[in-house]
Amino acid sequence: VNNQIAQKLILFFAMIAIISSCNKDNAQSSGSGNNNPPQGESTADITLTAGGQEFKVAGPCGWASAAGTHYIGSNHATNNLRTFSAYFNIENPPTQTTTYILVDDELDTDPTHITMAISEISGNTLTEWNSTNASGTLTLTVVGNKITADLSGIVLSPQTNSGFFTNGNVGAFANPGTLSGTLVFYI
């Protein structure tokens, strides 16, 4: 269990570093000097509702790889320690519309399965929700080089073991969270 928590933290901080290093200029392409058509801005607008309270992540997003893990990641525009991530068992984002099944096993290697988390570290407190085998599915809709993920209806489970962090999933946030919103990014 402690090894899984350590792995999560390493991936979490790697994701923050990668996403933080991106800027809006990198999300735009003029198309000149390369074969890529012009792109729009990659954005996430995610709301998790738990116990009548909302937890939002709105900011840049994109596909990334760190330490052999491939994922879609996003951080809140004004708080890099509030993040969303969906971990995939494929090296590159799909080139056609594909649906993935959410599971709770981070060691699952089935290419049709993914895990998902939304979290925030505030001081020594970790507030986090994770996917379970009953969370649902995520479809990545591919149109050209644009990928859209609609998170509506996905249910994540509150974290109960925050390791060496204080558990922030208390009060309303001790309830399962239902996601809504979208992520749009370009490949």
Side-chain angles (χ1 to χ4, degrees):
V1 171
N2 285 339
N3 189 28
Q4 288 179 338
I5 292 170
Q7 281 182 320
K8 274 184 165 181
L9 288 174
I10 290 168
L11 290 173
F12 179 79
F13 288 116
M15 183 177 72
I16 289 169
I18 289 169
I19 292 172
S20 297
S21 67
C22 296
N23 63 38
K24 291 181 182 177
D25 294 335
N26 289 340
Q28 303 260 356
S29 172
S30 67
S32 60
N34 62 39
N35 293 328
N36 297 328
Q39 299 177 359
E41 186 176 332
S42 296
T43 59
D45 184 9
I46 304 164
T47 301
L48 178 139
T49 304
Q53 298 288 322
E54 291 185 344
F55 185 94
K56 293 182 177 262
V57 176
C61 72
W63 180 271
S65 296
T69 302
H70 313 289
Y71 61 94
I72 298 170
S74 177
N75 65 293
H76 196 61
T78 60
N79 180 354
N80 286 337
L81 297 179
R82 181 177 283 207
T83 64
F84 166 87
S85 52
Y87 299 98
F88 291 77
N89 296 315
I90 55 176
E91 288 189 27
N92 299 301
T95 56
Q96 63 186 20
T97 298
T98 307
T99 299
Y100 299 91
I101 300 167
L102 286 137
V103 298
D104 65 0
D105 184 0
E106 296 171 354
L107 301 176
D108 185 318
T109 58
D110 186 322
T112 64
H113 292 175
I114 63 171
T115 58
M116 186 179 289
I118 188 167
S119 63
E120 178 179 36
I121 294 176
S122 179
N124 66 345
T125 301
L126 172 64
T127 306
E128 181 176 33
W129 292 265
N130 297 290
S131 59
T132 68
N133 293 340
S135 289
T137 61
L138 174 69
T139 299
L140 297 183
T141 303
V142 180
V143 177
N145 65 343
K146 178 181 178 182
I147 297 179
T148 303
D150 182 352
L151 302 174
S152 297
I154 292 173
V155 178
L156 302 180
S157 180
Q159 176 66 263
T160 57
N161 179 5
S162 297
F164 55 85
F165 288 102
T166 301
N167 185 358
N169 291 89
V170 296
F173 286 167
N175 292 290
T178 302
L179 293 176
S180 60
T182 58
L183 296 103
V184 177
F185 63 99
Y186 297 83
I187 55 173

